[in-house]
Every structure is written in C-alpha cells, then in structure tokens.
Amino acid sequence: MGIVIGIDVGGSTTKIVGINGEQIQSPMFITATDPVTSLFGAFGKYIYDNGIQLSDIEQVMLTGVGSAFVDSPLYGLPTSKVDEFLANGLGARHATDIDQLIVVSMGTGTSFVRIDGEKIEHIGGMAIGGGTLQGLSRLLLKTHDFRQIAAIAEKGDVTRVNLQIGDICNRPLPDLPVHATASLFGKADSNASQEDIAKGIIYMVLQTIGGAAVLSAFNSPIKDFVLIGNLTKFPQCHEVFPNMEKIYGVRFHIPQYAEYRTAIGAALAYIKKEK
C-alpha cells in the first residue's frame, strides 16, 4: 500500500498527515485566509517537506467543514471524503485500546462521539469551544492568538475570578471539595487583571466542555474520555481535567497528536476499508 494522506480542512486552517504502512508521518498544520488556499498550501508544503512524489500517494482522504469546497480530485490523485464524526472516532480509537469511550473533539465548537467496540456514533455537541475562547479573548484581552492567550494566562490566578465552594461554604459539600468551582467568573470585578481574565476564560471553556462530556456518559458505563482538537495544546488542560477526574471519578486522555486525530482518522477510514 502506498501513502494515504488524511486532511482535515477547517475554515482557514488545515491539518494534514500521511500514514505509511503503520506509521503516522509528519503531521502538519497550515493557516490561510480561506479553506481552499489552506488545503492546497498544506498539501504542497507537506509533500515538498517530506520528499513525497505524487506517485507515492495511493489515496487522499478529506474531512472537515472546509472539504465541502473541494469537488474534484486533488492534483489528479484518488480523492474521497469522510464524515467528520467518523474521522474523530477512528482517529481517537487508534490512540487507545479502550473499547468504550467518548471522543471529545474540541474545535471551534465541541462534538461528542461515543465508541462502543467497532460502533462509532455521534451523540451531540455544544456551541462552546475554541471559537468561544477566541471571541471572548478578542473582547476582553484584545487578542485572539491562542499562544498569546495561553502565555498571558500562565501568570493568572483563576481563584481571583471564579467563585469556589470554599468561598461560600467553610466545609466540602457532598462530592464537591472546597476548591471546586461554584460559579465561573462569579468573583470577577472591574479590577481583574488581564492575566486572571485570560485564565478564567480558558478555565470556563475547558470546565464547561469537561462537565458536558461527563453528562454525555450519564447512565452508561463509560468512564473514559479522549480529548482531541486544538484546545488540547493549552497547558491549562493539565490543570483542569485532572481536577475534574477526581471530582467525577472519570479519566480524561490526551493522546499523542491529539490536534491531528481527525486527519489521522480520515486516512484510517480508507485503510480500514481496504483491509
């Protein structure tokens, strides 16, 4: 089998990865002003940087909202499209040996995909995600750059903007420790620093997604959640989700190449079909 290229085309960003045999090869992220420019820029840079000839490529698999803009084969290569939720499931499932889990895809918004053995099912989503984080940061921090937001937040103290159980009660509540959040931004005032606001925004988005993920598994045996998408790169994930694990008795997993798992899943859809 030749190289199978998986491409996740967003509105202005494209993630691309090759699978050669069993190996994931050099994931890459490209930003442009529109999906078509982003797609062709990513593909050209990927094959050039990796020394890949067009004749080495067996199949190109496209997914993501931006793939709707592409109606012809890419550079004359065999090209197919994959449902994004299926790609999310296949990409996340490939990263773990857990049979029952929920994939939490944290993109512009957030989607939830349940995996039960070989069954992959989209069970819903929410309009909170990276787009929410960027929009609030534009309004409150005057930037929408993820790296800059994360860097500002590193110096912040979330307890200065979030109301905690310990602020309103001098002892833990049933199943809720004193450090659990009682109200997101419930303690914020007009003198809050940019650093505290930045951390509060990130915590608000991540905690809301984590809480919704846990509720999506309610009345089921699922205790494992695989996080994928761009938001997994925020260092605050390693603060928020371990705390939620302790409160809810669940496990959140961030696999290697978490932000590329949808592109990986797109390539795997072809490989799985050919086996």
Side-chain angles (χ1 to χ4, degrees):
M1 178 178 283
I3 299 171
V4 179
I5 303 290
I7 308 178
D8 176 14
V9 190
S12 59
T13 61
T14 291
K15 295 161 196 167
I16 181 168
V17 63
I19 297 185
N20 191 359
E22 296 292 323
Q23 298 298 315
I24 295 172
Q25 188 171 343
S26 307
M28 184 179 291
F29 183 102
I30 296 292
T31 301
T33 54
D34 65 85
V36 175
T37 301
S38 179
L39 168 61
F40 280 89
F43 187 82
K45 181 170 175 53
Y46 186 82
I47 63 173
Y48 177 81
D49 285 359
N50 289 283
I52 296 172
Q53 303 297 316
L54 292 180
S55 57
D56 297 330
I57 299 171
E58 178 169 335
Q59 181 75 26
V60 177
M61 301 296 286
L62 304 177
T63 192
V65 293
S67 65
F69 291 91
V70 182
D71 294 317
S72 58
L74 200 62
Y75 291 103
L77 295 166
T79 305
S80 298
K81 295 180 183 179
V82 185
D83 176 79
E84 184 173 356
F85 302 125
L86 175 62
N88 288 342
L90 291 173
R93 183 70 178 84
H94 179 262
T96 178
D97 57 1
I98 302 168
D99 287 328
Q100 291 184 312
L101 58 91
I102 286 177
V103 184
V104 184
S105 179
M106 303 190 295
T108 305
T110 300
S111 69
F112 303 109
V113 171
R114 181 187 290 129
I115 295 179
D116 187 355
E118 294 299 312
K119 183 180 179 182
I120 297 175
E121 177 187 13
H122 174 233
I123 57 173
M126 58 192 304
I128 292 178
T132 313
L133 196 153
Q134 285 187 308
L136 289 174
S137 296
R138 280 192 196 97
L139 292 172
L140 300 174
L141 304 174
K142 307 308 177 188
T143 180
H144 65 277
D145 182 85
F146 277 159
R147 283 180 225 171
Q148 189 175 0
I149 298 163
I152 295 170
E154 282 289 291
K155 300 174 184 176
D157 181 352
V158 76
T159 65
R160 292 181 186 143
V161 293
N162 285 351
L163 192 70
Q164 297 183 301
I165 295 294
D167 293 319
I168 56 178
C169 185
N170 61 2
R171 66 188 65 177
L173 297 177
D175 300 321
L176 288 175
V178 292
H179 66 266
T181 304
S183 178
L184 294 160
F185 278 93
K187 202 198 289 185
D189 61 34
S190 59
N191 295 318
S193 71
Q194 295 284 282
E195 292 80 7
D196 295 342
I197 291 170
K199 195 154 192 174
I201 292 171
I202 295 171
Y203 266 57
M204 183 189 72
V205 170
L206 296 182
Q207 285 186 328
T208 302
I209 291 171
V214 172
L215 289 174
S216 74
F218 193 63
N219 284 337
S220 86
I222 293 175
K223 297 292 183 183
D224 291 279
F225 302 86
V226 177
L227 308 174
I228 65 173
N230 289 340
L231 291 186
T232 59
K233 295 178 69 67
F234 274 90
Q236 290 78 18
C237 285
H238 301 288
E239 302 168 11
V240 171
F241 292 110
N243 283 332
M244 297 189 79
E245 287 181 333
K246 295 173 186 174
I247 292 172
Y248 293 110
V250 298
R251 294 170 293 273
F252 290 100
H253 309 269
I254 300 178
Q256 184 183 26
Y257 304 133
E259 68 271 37
Y260 297 101
R261 282 289 152 185
T262 304
I264 291 169
L268 289 171
Y270 174 80
I271 295 169
K272 184 177 175 69
K273 186 170 125 184
E274 292 301 301
K275 282 185 176 179

